[in-house]
C-alpha cells in the first residue's frame, strides 16, 4: 500500500496544487496527501490510447432463474408502492482503506448478486399502472437495477477513481454486464434520483415509497426528502412502513428454494474442508503462543480459497476460553488435555454460509469426564432434532434440548432444584450453564431472517424448505464456584445445520463427524496425514 516518492512525483504534486482546494477548505475537500498523481494534459491524452478493451466475460448467474419468483412475491405484498433496496456502501476500516465490501443480504436475495460486484447499487421495484397489459397477467412491479457504469479505459476515471476505476480495481461489471448476469433491467446510478421521485405523492393514484432502512444512509436521506416534500412528513409513520417492508423481506427468506439449499450444502462442504485443515495443524499448534490464531488461520485460508470469506468471525476457544460464548480474540494457547471449541462457517461466493461448531479433546482422546459432558450435549442436540418436525416450532426444539441438559445437571448434583422447577418459566436455574438459544434460521446471514416478527419466527411452524441450526452446549466458566473444580473451564457446543423436508429434518452437515468415536478417529486421521 505504500508509495515511493520521487522528484518527478514532487513536480506532479506542484502541478496538482494549482487546482487543489486551499488549506482553509474542509479536509474532505482536499487532495489526498498520500497520493501524488500525474495531472498534465499530455499524460491525460496518453492514458486514453493503447489499451485493449479488456471486456469481462459475462454469463447469467444461476440465481437469475430464481430471483423473478422472489421479486414477484415481494411485489404482491406491496402493490402500488415503489420499493427501494440498496446494496450499501463500503465501510471505512481506517482513513482511506475500506473493509471488503459485502452487499446487504436483502439486496443479494432479490438480485442474486454476491461477492462485491455492486457497492452503491440500488434495486427498485416500480409499481405497474393498473392499465399496463402486464398487470392483467398478475404482475405488480417492474424491477430496475441502478449501478455505476464501468470506468474502463475510455474514461478518465479509469486511472483517477480508486473506487471504480479499472486501472485500480480491474475489470468490473457495468450496466450491460449486470443486466446479463441478473436478468434485471439496469440503468446508470446517475438516473436514480429521477427514478425514485417519479409520481411520488399522497394523492390517490400517486406512488408511495418504502426503503430497506439503515443500509445506505445516502439513500435513506434521499427517500426521506422525497417523502417530506411530497405529502409524507410523518417520519415516525414512514419509519414504521419501512420496518414492515424490512420485516417482510426478512420473513420471505425463511423458506429456501432449491438454489439456496444447494448453496448452503456447498458452504457446509467447504466448512468440512476448513475443519480438516484445523485438525491437520492442531498437533504442531499445541502449546504455541497464540496457537488459537494458528488454527483460525488454517480455517480462514480455506474460506478464502473455496468461498468468498468466513460467514462470521471464527471462534477458536481452548480451555477456559471455551465457555466464553463469543470468544473471537483467539489469542490463547491451545493446551494439552483441554477441550477445544471451534465455531466456524465458510461463506461461498453467493454469500450463503454454513454454521458449524465442534468441540475436540486437544490430545485426540476424550477423558472420562470430557466424554460424559460431551455426550450430554450430543444427546441434547439429538433430542432437539427429534422434536423438529413439520409443524413444530423453535420453542419445541428449545424445550427438548433444555430438558436433557437440566436432567443431566441434576443427575450430576450441580442443579440443586427439581428438574421440572428449573424448566418452569419461574425457575430456569439450569440456564446458568446454557444461557443462549439453541436454534436459529440460516442462509445469507448466519442468524438469518433476524428482522422477522417474533410470531413469524419463534412461534411460527417450521415448514419444509427452512434451514436452521441446532446448537446446545454446556458452558462451565473457570470462575464458577458452584461447579466441582474438575469441571471448571470446560465449554462444549455441538452445532449442525438442518434442512426441514416433507418427511422430517435432514442433517445437512452429517458428513462432519460428531459422535465420540468418530471424532477421535477423524482427529487421528488428520494428525497422521500432517506428519
Amino acid at each position: 500500500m505504500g508509495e515511493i516518492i520521487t522528484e518527478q512525483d514532487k513536480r506532479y504534486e506542484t502541478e496538482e496544487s494549482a487546482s487543489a482546494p486551499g488549506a482553509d477548505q474542509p479536509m474532505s475537500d482536499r487532495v489526498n496527501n498520500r497520493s501524488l498523481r500525474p495531472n498534465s494534459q499530455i499524460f491525460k491524452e496518453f492514458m486514453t490510447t493503447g489499451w485493449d478493451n479488456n471486456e469481462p466475460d459475462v454469463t447469467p448467474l444461476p440465481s437469475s432463474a430464481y430471483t423473478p419468483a422472489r421479486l414477484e412475491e415481494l411485489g404482491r405484498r406491496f402493490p402500488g408502492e415503489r420499493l427501494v433496496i440498496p446494496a450499501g456502501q463500503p465501510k471505512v476500516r481506517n482513513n482511506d482503506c475500506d473493509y471488503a465490501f459485502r452487499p446487504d443480504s436483502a439486496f443479494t436475495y432479490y438480485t442474486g448478486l454476491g461477492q462485491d460486484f455492486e457497492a452503491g447499487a440500488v434495486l427498485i421495484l416500480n409499481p405497474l399502472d393498473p392499465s399496463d397489459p402486464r398487470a392483467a397477467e398478475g404482475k405488480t412491479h417492474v424491477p430496475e437495477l441502478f449501478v455505476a457504469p464501468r470506468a474502463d479505459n475510455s474514461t478518465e476515471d479509469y486511472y483517477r477513481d480508486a473506487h471504480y476505476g479499472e486501472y485500480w480495481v480491474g475489470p468490473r461489471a457495468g450496466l450491460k454486464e449486470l443486466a446479463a448476469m441478473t436478468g434485471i433491467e439496469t440503468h446508470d446510478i446517475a438516473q436514480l434520483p429521477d427514478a425514485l421521485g417519479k409520481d411520488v405523492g399522497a394523492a390517490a393514484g400517486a406512488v408511495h415509497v418504502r426503503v430497506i432502512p439503515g443500509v445506505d444512509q445516502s439513500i435513506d436521506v434521499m427517500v426521506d426528502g422525497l417523502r417530506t416534500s411530497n405529502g409524507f412528513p410523518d417520519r415516525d409513520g414512514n419509519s414504521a412502513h419501512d420496518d414492515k417492508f424490512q420485516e417482510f423481506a426478512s420473513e420471505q427468506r425463511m423458506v429456501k428454494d432449491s438454489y439456496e439449499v444447494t448453496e448452503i450444502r456447498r458452504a457446509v462442504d467447504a466448512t468440512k474442508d476448513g475443519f480438516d485443515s484445523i485438525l491437520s495443524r492442531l498437533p504442531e499448534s499445541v502449546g504455541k503462543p497464540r496457537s488459537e490464531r494458528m488454527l483460525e488461520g488454517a480455517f480462514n485460508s480455506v474460506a478464502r480459497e473455496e468461498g468468498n470469506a468466513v460467514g462470521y468471525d471464527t471462534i477458536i476457544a481452548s480451555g477456559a476460553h471455551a465457555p466464553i460464548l463469543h470468544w473471537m480474540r483467539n489469542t490463547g494457547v491451545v493446551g494439552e488435555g483441554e477441550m477445544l471449541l471451534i465455531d466456524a462457517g465458510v461463506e461461498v461466493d453467493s454469500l450463503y454460509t454454513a454454521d458449524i461448531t465442534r468441540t475436540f479433546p486437544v490430545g485426540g482422546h476424550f477423558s472420562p469426564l470430557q466424554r460424559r459432558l460431551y455426550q450430554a450435549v450430543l444427546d441434547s442436540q439429538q433430542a432437539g432434532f427429534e422434536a423438529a418436525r413439520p409443524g413444530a416450532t423453535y420453542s419445541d426444539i428449545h424445550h427438548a434440548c433444555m430438558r436433557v441438559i437440566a436432567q443431566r445437571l441434576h443427575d450430576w448434583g450441580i442443579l440443586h432444584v427439581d428438574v421440572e422447577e428449573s424448566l418452569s418459566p419461574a425457575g430456569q436455574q439450569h440456564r446458568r450453564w446454557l444461557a443462549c438459544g439453541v436454534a436459529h434460521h440460516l442462509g445469507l446471514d448466519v442468524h438469518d431472517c433476524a428482522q422477522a416478527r417474533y410470531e413469524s419466527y419463534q412461534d411460527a411452524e417450521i415448514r419444509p424448505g427452512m434451514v436452521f441450526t441446532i446448537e446446545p452446549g454446556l458452558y462451565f466458566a473457570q470462575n464458577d464456584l458452584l461447579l466441582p473444580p474438575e469441571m471448571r473451564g470446560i465449554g462444549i457446543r455441538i452445532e449442525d445445520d438442518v434442512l426441514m423436508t416433507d418427511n422430517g429434518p435432514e442433517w445437512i452437515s452429517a458428513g462432519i463427524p460428531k459422535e465420540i468415536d468418530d471424532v477421535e478417529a477423524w482427529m487421528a486421521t488428520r494428525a497422521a496425514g500432517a506428519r
Side-chain angles (χ1 to χ4, degrees):
M1 297 293 286
E3 293 183 349
I4 299 174
I5 299 176
T6 65
E7 288 302 315
Q8 185 68 50
D9 289 326
K10 294 176 182 177
R11 285 195 292 275
Y12 291 147
E13 182 182 23
T14 301
E15 292 169 5
E16 285 199 330
S17 67
S19 58
D24 59 338
Q25 292 180 276
M27 181 64 73
S28 59
D29 295 334
R30 297 181 191 173
V31 172
N32 187 327
N33 289 322
R34 184 186 68 87
S35 296
L36 303 171
R37 300 181 190 172
N39 200 37
S40 70
Q41 187 60 36
I42 291 175
F43 175 80
K44 292 178 182 179
E45 294 172 359
F46 183 61
M47 288 296 285
T48 63
T49 62
W51 302 103
D52 180 72
N53 285 335
N54 208 16
E55 293 285 335
D57 294 329
V58 176
T59 57
L61 295 169
S63 56
S64 65
Y66 296 84
T67 50
R70 301 173 191 172
L71 290 164
E72 288 179 13
E73 182 179 349
L74 178 63
R76 284 193 295 270
R77 176 60 178 79
F78 300 99
E81 300 188 58
R82 180 165 295 130
L83 308 177
V84 184
I85 306 173
Q89 297 286 351
K91 293 179 174 60
V92 174
R93 184 182 187 277
N94 59 300
N95 191 30
D96 58 346
C97 297
D98 294 333
Y99 287 103
F101 177 72
R102 185 195 189 280
D104 182 71
S105 293
F107 180 89
T108 294
Y109 182 71
Y110 292 113
T111 64
L113 290 167
Q115 294 178 290
D116 60 350
F117 291 115
E118 62 301 303
V122 180
L123 174 68
I124 292 180
L125 274 69
N126 276 314
L128 281 172
D129 188 285
S131 63
D132 192 296
R134 290 171 291 183
E137 301 170 0
K139 295 186 181 299
T140 62
H141 291 76
V142 174
E144 296 180 351
L145 184 62
F146 292 81
V147 301
R150 287 184 62 196
D152 61 16
N153 55 67
S154 66
T155 71
E156 191 171 307
D157 284 341
Y158 175 65
Y159 60 90
R160 296 189 69 87
D161 187 337
H163 184 71
Y164 289 116
E166 296 185 8
Y167 184 92
W168 292 83
V169 300
R172 56 175 290 273
L175 276 63
K176 69 176 183 179
E177 292 84 8
L178 286 170
M181 293 162 66
T182 64
I184 298 172
E185 182 181 331
T186 305
H187 303 282
D188 191 326
I189 193 70
Q191 300 172 16
L192 179 65
D194 290 340
L196 279 177
K198 184 180 179 182
D199 300 328
V200 172
V207 174
H208 299 192
V209 181
R210 297 188 193 231
V211 62
I212 299 289
V215 176
D216 187 329
Q217 184 180 9
S218 66
I219 302 301
D220 288 347
V221 169
M222 193 182 301
V223 169
D224 185 57
L226 278 173
R227 293 192 288 209
T228 300
S229 60
N230 287 279
F232 300 95
D234 180 3
R235 291 193 174 186
D236 290 342
N238 292 336
S239 293
H241 281 81
D242 291 341
D243 289 344
K244 287 294 182 185
F245 177 28
Q246 188 173 41
E247 281 177 3
F248 183 84
S250 188
E251 291 171 9
Q252 191 181 343
R253 301 208 308 265
M254 285 182 169
V255 175
K256 270 60 179 176
D257 56 38
S258 59
Y259 167 79
E260 293 178 281
V261 172
T262 297
E263 291 301 290
I264 294 171
R265 291 187 190 277
R266 290 180 59 238
V268 169
D269 290 344
T271 299
K272 167 59 163 58
D273 293 341
F275 274 93
D276 283 343
S277 181
I278 286 173
L279 293 182
S280 293
R281 195 162 189 200
L282 177 58
E284 68 174 279
S285 303
V286 177
K288 301 284 182 63
R290 291 160 73 99
S291 43
E292 290 176 345
R293 288 202 179 178
M294 294 171 67
L295 302 181
E296 178 187 7
F299 184 89
N300 291 3
S301 67
V302 172
R304 290 293 282 168
E305 291 166 17
E306 299 191 27
N308 181 58
V310 291
Y312 51 94
D313 285 343
T314 301
I315 296 173
I316 309 284
S318 188
H321 291 159
I324 301 172
L325 294 177
H326 287 171
W327 173 256
M328 289 178 285
R329 292 179 186 149
N330 301 340
T331 52
V333 174
V334 177
E336 187 67 49
E338 295 180 341
M339 292 291 277
L340 172 66
L341 187 155
I342 300 173
D343 188 338
V346 172
E347 175 187 85
V348 291
D349 287 344
S350 60
L351 305 187
Y352 287 85
T353 187
D355 184 8
I356 303 295
T357 307
R358 290 292 183 265
T359 309
F360 302 97
V362 171
H365 296 280
F366 292 88
S367 71
L369 173 61
Q370 292 170 347
R371 181 180 289 259
R372 181 156 50 102
L373 300 180
Y374 184 95
Q375 189 64 50
V377 176
L378 194 61
D379 292 345
S380 173
Q381 190 197 43
Q382 183 62 29
F385 181 78
E386 292 170 1
R389 291 287 180 268
T393 67
Y394 278 110
S395 294
D396 295 327
I397 298 173
H398 174 87
H399 292 307
C401 290
M402 290 298 173
R403 177 167 291 278
V404 173
I405 293 297
Q407 185 63 59
R408 298 299 171 85
L409 290 168
H410 186 270
D411 293 345
W412 298 333
I414 296 171
L415 184 63
H416 294 297
V417 300
D418 181 81
V419 170
E420 297 303 325
E421 176 186 339
S422 186
L423 291 171
S424 71
Q428 300 293 297
Q429 291 90 336
H430 63 286
R431 298 299 298 277
R432 177 185 178 101
W433 299 285
L434 178 49
C436 57
V438 297
H440 59 79
H441 280 283
L442 179 70
L444 285 169
D445 295 337
V446 64
H447 299 139
D448 208 24
C449 313
Q451 285 75 40
R453 296 165 295 168
Y454 181 88
E455 58 268 26
S456 298
Y457 198 126
Q458 292 294 341
D459 281 354
E461 292 186 353
I462 298 174
R463 291 172 283 161
M466 289 184 172
V467 177
F468 53 94
T469 72
I470 303 178
E471 52 170 324
L474 282 171
Y475 306 102
F476 291 165
Q478 184 73 52
N479 63 337
D480 191 339
L481 301 181
L482 299 188
L483 294 169
E486 66 273 14
M487 288 187 178
R488 298 173 194 167
I490 295 177
I492 298 170
R493 179 164 64 251
I494 305 170
E495 179 177 22
D496 283 279
D497 303 341
V498 179
L499 167 67
M500 183 57 70
T501 74
D502 291 326
N503 300 317
E506 174 199 342
W507 291 119
I508 295 179
S509 49
I512 304 178
K514 63 182 176 183
E515 297 291 339
I516 288 175
D517 291 345
D518 294 338
V519 168
E520 291 182 345
W522 183 22
M523 295 182 72
T525 299
R526 300 307 304 180
R531 288 197 289 269

